[in-house]
Amino acid sequence: MTTIDIDHVSRWFGNVVAVNDVTMTIGPGVTGLLGPNGAGKSTLINMMGGFLAPSNGTVTLDGEPIWRNESVYRRIGVVPEREAMYDFLTGREFVVANAELHGLGAAEAGKALATVEMEYAQDRKIATYSKGMRQRVKMASALVHEPSVLLLDEPFNGMDPRQRMQLMDLLRRMGAEGRTVLFSSHILEEVEQLASHIEVIVAGRHAASGDFRRIRRLMTDRPHRYLVRSSDDRALAAALIADPSTAGIEVDVTEGALRIQAVDFARFTELLPRVAREHSIRLLTVSPSDESLESVFSYLVAA
Amino acid sequence: MYNPTVARLTYRALLGRRRAAILFVLPGLLLLIAAAVRGFNGPDDQIAADVLGGFALATMVPLIGVIAGTGAIGPEIDDGSIVYLLAKPVKRPTIILTKLIVAIAVTMVFSAVPTFLAGLILNGNGQQVAVAHTVAALVASIAYSALFLLLGTVSRHAVVIGLVYALVWEALFGSLIEGAKTLSVQQWALAVAERVTGDGLVASDVGLPAAVALLAGVTVAATWYAGQKLRTLTLAGDE
């Protein structure tokens, strides 16, 4: 059982604050680190992996500081986001080298390559690999010493759906074995499918923490905004506002449309078509106007 | 303090890159010059010493040192692949020392060996000119490798800075300006060569004890500092 403790950690680069007073504990099982691009996920993972010193606060592995402490890598495996590897090596040579640096050998390397199902291409140069293959060889290099903690920075980037599923299965299995698995992603669905526990980072701040159902509810229960055009906007507006799922409607004369704010997502999506049918109103346009991930996240921060 | 896996990765990266072509071009050029000079002038001790001092030691050795020293670590830090070495329970000074040994070996092979061959071609090692310059190339290889390895660890512009140092400082100022000569690896190495060869053929502006002390001091200090820098190397994310 290995735990990473992040205690009041901040990190700034010059006068840009990348991580702002974050406190969280990452324990056994699969944890997803969710946030939009540029939120500070990589900075946080780099500090957990010992590649970056916190400007303030402490990052520890079972109480031991991670920064400037090579011995933690006996227990930590790292899968970096960056593509660069030793491209002039074959996949097997690369994983064997990683094993040797842990004091292990070809047997362990072979096992790790089998785990990620890369044996079929292990004797090809890494330079010839697709992005998904690289990702799997990176995984093998991180797994070779069977670490109790696995840190993955955006591991699903550039993977096709089949590779994604394979990697998810693998990570799930590792979480079930009691390892501490942390991965970052900016895609909610990815995190939801894999992680039992989610930490949300927005603009360097720790926005939310908990199981994905709670986070999902926070995300779906937020006020939704829609732009609606119909054959009779005012009649539709009058009918909708009578229902408690609708908090406000604006008749946008210049756009020739309604701007609707719904507070009960599930109820509103059922209400809108029903009301239209009952009043014989044709719906011409229904489009959500704030579905960008950023707006979802910024709502979470405010919540 | 030496890790064979790090060494293997380092020399394969070093010799596998396109830049490595220079490692073959420069010694080839030296041998060509030596053969041409011998062809036109016949064996002449002073000319042999001038060619080896003026081209081999002043230009070729520092350039090979730049390629091998910065190339042993710089590209890995630039593209981030050093993370695979750093995320291991291997002491940082061990990584630096291993890379230094590889850089020294490569610099020696590609500078001292051709220097010796060129010396043989020029005057058949008369007055020990070939041996003296080979010894100088060997000791210079050590100091250059350590200096440029440090440069590769601390700067992303290591090759440019290294080239400016090698070409402007060592090749130009180092042979012309008095003060610069005392702070030139080339002059320290020549002080060692001066001891080996016959009278008057090689002259250095630095005394032998001072030269040896400076060579050793620079090598140790640069290596130690590179180890310290690697311990606190920051791999900033893309954001």
Side-chain angles (χ1 to χ4, degrees):
Chain A
M1 299 284 270
T2 311
T3 307
I4 295 183
D5 267 303
I6 297 168
D7 188 19
H8 293 287
V9 165
S10 299
R11 170 72 208 199
W12 48 86
F13 298 97
N15 46 24
V16 177
V17 179
V19 169
N20 192 346
D21 196 26
V22 169
T23 297
M24 57 173 78
T25 300
I26 314 289
V30 181
T31 301
L33 187 62
L34 178 67
N37 285 325
K41 300 187 299 291
S42 290
T43 305
L44 208 51
I45 287 196
N46 275 328
M47 286 192 281
M48 290 188 234
F51 305 122
L52 198 61
S55 305
N56 217 342
T58 55
V59 185
T60 52
L61 178 73
D62 287 343
E64 258 184 78
I66 294 179
W67 176 241
R68 297 188 69 167
N69 182 3
E70 294 104 38
S71 66
V72 296
Y73 297 116
R74 292 185 198 291
R75 282 175 286 160
I76 295 183
V78 181
V79 181
E81 184 185 8
R82 294 180 77 164
E83 284 290 295
M85 299 163 80
Y86 293 84
D87 282 12
F88 50 87
L89 299 177
T90 66
R92 192 214 301 260
E93 287 170 334
F94 178 74
V95 180
V96 168
N98 277 279
E100 286 174 0
L101 290 167
H102 278 292
L104 307 168
E108 289 84 357
K111 196 175 157 209
L113 280 161
T115 307
V116 299
E117 294 171 34
M118 271 300 286
E119 286 157 309
Y120 75 99
Q122 63 185 4
D123 291 318
R124 271 168 54 189
K125 286 247 193 303
I126 292 175
T128 68
Y129 284 0
S130 70
K131 201 159 175 173
M133 294 164 87
R134 281 173 178 266
Q135 201 64 33
R136 278 190 281 163
V137 169
K138 283 199 241 172
M139 270 295 284
S141 80
L143 291 177
V144 78
H145 59 303
E146 308 208 335
S148 51
V149 177
L150 195 60
L151 302 175
L152 307 100
D153 198 355
E154 296 278 356
F156 302 107
N157 263 2
M159 280 195 161
D160 64 40
R162 200 180 59 93
Q163 293 167 335
R164 199 175 295 229
M165 265 184 27
Q166 272 177 348
L167 182 57
M168 282 191 179
D169 281 344
L170 178 59
L171 295 182
R172 234 178 251 128
R173 216 157 59 225
M174 300 197 64
E177 285 168 5
R179 296 180 209 269
T180 301
V181 178
L182 176 95
F183 72 101
S184 70
S185 172
H186 58 280
I187 298 165
L188 176 65
E189 283 67 26
E190 243 169 47
V191 175
E192 191 177 323
Q193 278 174 47
L194 179 56
S196 48
H197 190 91
I198 300 182
E199 303 287 348
V200 183
I201 295 282
V202 183
R205 287 178 173 279
H206 193 190
S209 170
D211 76 22
F212 75 82
R213 282 176 215 87
R214 198 180 84 81
I215 307 252
R216 185 48 138 172
R217 210 175 312 123
L218 276 174
M219 289 193 168
T220 47
D221 286 356
R222 78 201 153 87
H224 283 64
R225 289 169 198 283
Y226 294 92
L227 184 92
V228 175
R229 289 193 182 89
S230 68
S231 55
D232 188 346
D233 285 350
R234 284 178 191 274
L236 182 64
L240 285 174
I241 199 70
D243 191 274
S245 69
T246 310
I249 301 181
E250 181 197 341
V251 184
D252 189 330
V253 182
T254 48
E255 277 281 319
L258 296 174
R259 295 186 184 278
I260 302 172
Q261 188 172 353
V263 282
D264 185 335
F265 175 71
R267 188 173 166 143
F268 179 79
T269 48
E270 184 265 331
L271 172 75
L272 180 63
R274 183 162 52 79
V275 165
R277 195 173 56 244
E278 283 168 4
H279 293 77
S280 305
I281 298 169
R282 273 177 69 103
L283 292 172
L284 306 173
T285 308
V286 178
S287 75
S289 53
D290 62 346
E291 282 299 285
S292 77
L293 199 58
E294 277 66 21
S295 73
V296 175
F297 282 124
S298 58
Y299 170 73
L300 274 186
V301 183
Chain B
M1 288 314 273
Y2 172 80
N3 186 306
T5 309
V6 174
R8 196 173 71 233
L9 291 174
T10 303
Y11 82 71
R12 288 196 55 177
L14 210 47
L15 298 180
R17 221 169 284 128
R18 198 174 305 148
R19 224 181 269 166
I22 303 178
L23 294 175
F24 293 91
V25 170
L26 283 171
L29 196 61
L30 174 69
L31 294 178
L32 211 67
I33 293 174
V37 168
R38 174 69 186 257
F40 289 122
N41 295 310
D44 180 315
D45 295 346
Q46 187 59 55
I47 290 178
D50 288 347
V51 171
L52 293 183
F55 181 71
L57 281 186
T59 309
M60 188 187 79
V61 183
L63 283 181
I64 303 256
V66 170
I67 306 284
T70 62
I73 198 162
E76 269 168 287
I77 293 179
D78 273 357
D79 71 16
S81 56
I82 188 108
V83 67
Y84 296 101
L85 296 187
L86 296 183
K88 300 292 183 298
V90 177
K91 293 244 173 286
R92 305 301 193 244
T94 302
I95 296 176
I96 287 292
L97 210 63
T98 304
K99 285 182 173 289
L100 175 65
I101 290 168
V102 173
I104 290 174
V106 168
T107 311
M108 283 181 169
V109 167
F110 286 93
S111 71
V113 173
T115 299
F116 183 67
L117 291 176
L120 287 183
I121 294 172
L122 281 162
N123 74 340
N125 194 28
Q127 295 266 44
Q128 295 289 322
V129 166
V131 171
H133 283 89
T134 303
V135 171
L138 288 173
V139 295
S141 294
I142 299 173
Y144 281 133
S145 297
L147 268 180
F148 295 132
L149 187 69
L150 170 62
L151 202 55
T153 310
V154 299
S155 172
R156 294 197 156 210
H157 311 290
V159 174
V160 176
I161 300 173
L163 285 178
V164 169
Y165 172 84
L167 294 176
V168 178
W169 187 265
E170 290 283 357
L172 203 64
F173 292 175
S175 348
L176 298 175
I177 298 170
E178 285 308 315
K181 288 186 182 177
T182 335
L183 290 178
S184 146
V185 175
Q186 179 197 344
Q187 293 295 327
W188 305 340
L190 283 174
V192 179
E194 195 178 8
R195 173 55 65 92
V196 181
T197 180
D199 316 307
L201 285 173
V202 179
S204 169
D205 293 84
V206 187
L208 187 62
V212 171
L214 284 165
L215 282 167
V218 161
T219 304
V220 171
T223 308
W224 174 82
Y225 190 56
Q228 291 305 305
K229 289 309 279 187
L230 196 62
R231 283 195 72 188
T232 54
L233 183 76
T234 289
L235 295 176
D238 293 331
E239 33 190 40

